Amino acid sequence: MSDDLSDDDFSTSNPNINELLVNNSKIDGDERLVDQSLEAFNTETLLSSASRQLLTPMIDLVISDDGLIYMYTFKDYKDQWGNEIEGLVKVTYNDLQNKVNRIVNYEDLYVNGNIYNSIKMIEGSEKTYFNEEGTKYIIERSERVLLTNGSVDFEDGSRIDERESLWGQESLFEYKLQDRSVYWQWERAGISSGKNRGGWTYANEINTPLLLTSDCVHSFNGIPTQGIIDFTFTNTEDQNIFATLDFGDGCDRKAELKISGQDETYSIYF
């Protein structure tokens, strides 16, 4: 995300909860940025001025026993919000007839100064077609994503490791042929978990799907327009703290955090 998050944005009384909320927000925004950058490159479509990338990754194709491997090398990659990507993304297709089923490796991938390592196994289906008027090229995709062996080293020195996630996501892309602009939306629900340097662990479940859309400028930085996440934070004494993060229903940076056992509701600004 291009905006720096501060303690004022995450003002609960527990620094470990603050850190885990901040870092989960950064992960969501950074991974969405990488996905969208690869999507724009693969479709060979210039995006509208609202989301145009200033530089595109270089790509190498490798044919191996594992299948067809796309090696995306990002160098000096930056968008108009200041989001930056540097490093390697390896995408392996073991079924050349299905470009949805794939394995995605992040290998010391720098995104906005944060270093990602993980393996994502993705399965699903895709439908592509032109609208009746022939003015739009449309991609509809349904995917199941399993993330394993995940770790993130953040620019501020914090870290999340033991990352595991399983989620389903629905995505839609509409490319207007005349002005080469794009409308997109992502909807995601699932579970994830991890651990910070201080020994605190988290587990979360998206009970109401997170929705991001190009109609909202904040979605370009990974902030949902709606959705609810239930968190379980576990401290070093194996005590659980339950919380709910509600993104409401609108285009803004605000979400409401309710911690079980507390009367106060915290306003969180992403």
Side-chain angles (χ1 to χ4, degrees), residues 103-133:
I103 299 173
V104 180
N105 290 68
Y106 292 171
E107 300 178 359
D108 289 335
L109 181 69
Y110 286 72
V111 186
N112 293 325
N114 309 314
I115 308 172
Y116 287 79
N117 286 278
S118 66
I119 301 172
K120 289 195 290 186
M121 289 166 281
I122 303 171
E123 297 178 344
S125 60
E126 181 180 87
K127 179 181 178 182
T128 62
Y129 58 95
F130 289 94
N131 66 348
E132 291 184 0
E133 296 78 11

Side-chain angles (χ1 to χ4, degrees), residues 1-7 9-10 22 26 112 155 253 269-270:
M1 300 176 66
S2 59
D3 292 333
D4 290 332
L5 299 172
S6 68
D7 291 338
D9 296 315
F10 289 83
V22 170
K26 289 178 181 177
N112 293 325
E155 193 172 23
R253 298 175 57 235
Y269 292 87
F270 289 88

Side-chain angles (χ1 to χ4, degrees), residues 19-234:
E19 178 188 296
L20 289 169
L21 286 171
V22 170
N23 287 343
N24 271 272
S25 173
K26 289 178 181 177
I27 288 171
D28 288 344
D30 288 349
E31 292 191 335
R32 181 218 52 82
L33 170 65
V34 175
D35 288 345
Q36 182 171 312
S37 300
L38 295 178
E39 180 70 34
F41 182 79
N42 288 337
T43 56
E44 300 180 358
T45 303
L46 293 175
L47 303 184
S48 67
S49 59
S51 57
R52 180 179 296 120
Q53 309 301 322
L54 304 183
L55 294 169
T56 55
M58 297 183 64
I59 183 172
D60 293 310
L61 299 180
V62 178
I63 299 176
S64 73
D65 293 338
D66 296 326
L68 181 63
I69 302 175
Y70 284 65
M71 310 283 284
Y72 297 91
T73 302
F74 290 86
K75 184 174 176 59
D76 299 325
Y77 183 95
K78 189 174 185 179
D79 69 15
Q80 72 184 74
W81 292 278
N83 293 305
E84 299 178 349
I85 306 176
E86 190 91 13
L88 177 67
V89 177
K90 183 170 70 173
V91 182
T92 303
Y93 300 94
N94 52 27
D95 181 359
L96 299 184
Q97 303 302 314
N98 187 333
K99 287 299 185 70
V100 176
N101 295 346
R102 61 201 185 275
I103 299 173
V104 180
N105 290 68
Y106 292 171
E107 300 178 359
D108 289 335
L109 181 69
Y110 286 72
V111 186
N112 293 325
N114 309 314
I115 308 172
Y116 287 79
N117 286 278
S118 66
I119 301 172
K120 289 195 290 186
M121 289 166 281
I122 303 171
E123 297 178 344
S125 60
E126 181 180 87
K127 179 181 178 182
T128 62
Y129 58 95
F130 289 94
N131 66 348
E132 291 184 0
E133 296 78 11
T135 58
K136 296 180 182 178
Y137 179 65
I138 300 170
I139 302 174
E140 297 179 4
R141 189 176 298 138
S142 178
E143 297 173 314
R144 176 183 182 272
V145 183
L146 173 65
L147 183 148
T148 59
N149 300 323
S151 67
V152 188
D153 289 283
F154 296 94
E155 193 172 23
D156 63 3
S158 59
R159 175 181 171 88
I160 286 181
D161 56 18
E162 300 181 19
R163 284 188 67 207
E164 305 285 342
S165 298
L166 176 63
W167 69 85
Q169 62 186 27
E170 306 286 333
S171 55
L172 170 70
F173 305 89
E174 294 182 349
Y175 297 92
K176 294 183 179 179
L177 303 182
Q178 184 173 2
D179 60 7
R180 302 178 72 88
S181 63
V182 62
Y183 167 81
W184 56 262
Q185 70 177 41
W186 268 283
E187 190 173 79
R188 173 187 290 187
I191 57 177
S192 63
S193 61
K195 184 177 181 179
N196 74 359
R197 272 192 206 276
W200 279 60
T201 63
Y202 71 89
N204 65 42
E205 181 174 1
I206 303 171
N207 283 319
T208 300
L210 304 179
L211 177 66
L212 296 95
T213 169
S214 58
D215 284 343
C216 176
V217 63
H218 300 299
S219 287
F220 287 93
N221 278 333
I223 304 172
T225 61
Q226 65 183 49
I228 298 175
I229 307 175
D230 288 335
F231 282 90
T232 301
F233 303 102
T234 305

